[in-house]
Amino acid sequence: MLEPSHASDTAQPLVMTNQDILRLVRENVKLNFGDSGAGHILAGMQVKHFNPHTRLGIIKVPRDHIKMVTATLALITRVKKTPCALRVRHTSGTIKKCQKSAIRTDRELILAYHKDANVTQLLRDSESQISALEI
């Protein structure tokens, strides 16, 4: 999950594609673990989902390299020149468990970010996008 360093940034959607996130993680793995680290995760890592409104994403990583990617995410301090902190909210051996956790977290974040707005459609859209991920 991408968390902005400034409270005012939470209302702004983060314009990033899955490819942008993949590139960001790969560049930082290379920076922190060298070419060998980047080579290990190159083939097996995928960004399965990213919601620009809640800044929550699901990244699929080979089990052997989960600690390397988790450490890399913790070391990232800027995304597109914007100060931020990345947190790992959940890890699991199955995409189904990650989907359930992501739906629950997305619901909490949407309700927190959009207190005054009608959030029913946002909640439905978020849940359907996460549920539609291929298993």
Side-chain angles (χ1 to χ4, degrees):
M1 177 180 164
L2 285 167
E3 291 193 346
S5 294
H6 307 294
S8 63
D9 293 340
T10 57
Q12 298 283 341
L14 185 62
V15 181
M16 287 189 76
T17 65
N18 289 359
Q19 295 301 326
D20 292 336
I21 296 168
L22 199 57
R23 189 177 318 107
L24 174 73
V25 174
R26 284 184 179 156
E27 287 171 0
N28 280 279
V29 166
K30 187 174 181 178
L31 177 70
N32 294 301
F33 296 96
D35 290 331
S36 175
H40 284 301
I41 67 155
L42 187 64
M45 188 173 69
Q46 294 178 325
V47 177
K48 300 298 263 179
H49 170 75
F50 180 71
N51 183 332
H53 295 285
T54 60
R55 301 172 181 188
L56 180 94
I58 297 175
I59 300 175
K60 182 180 176 186
V61 179
R63 183 179 311 158
D64 295 343
H65 308 297
I66 188 71
K67 289 183 179 179
M68 182 187 310
V69 174
T70 302
T72 298
L73 292 173
L75 294 170
I76 295 173
T77 58
R78 291 190 171 277
V79 173
K80 292 192 169 187
K81 299 181 181 177
T82 302
C84 70
L86 279 73
R87 291 190 320 167
V88 176
R89 298 281 302 232
H90 182 83
T91 59
S92 176
T94 65
I95 192 74
K96 194 71 174 169
K97 293 286 185 182
C98 286
Q99 284 174 312
K100 288 179 182 180
S101 176
I103 289 169
R104 187 174 47 253
T105 303
D106 246 13
R107 176 176 293 276
E108 292 168 6
L109 293 171
I110 288 170
L111 291 172
Y113 289 166
H114 304 284
K115 292 177 184 171
D116 299 330
N118 182 0
V119 297
T120 308
Q121 188 60 40
L122 280 172
L123 291 170
R124 270 194 236 125
D125 291 347
S126 173
E127 186 171 345
S128 65
Q129 287 173 358
I130 294 170
S131 297
L133 295 176
E134 58 186 58
I135 297 174

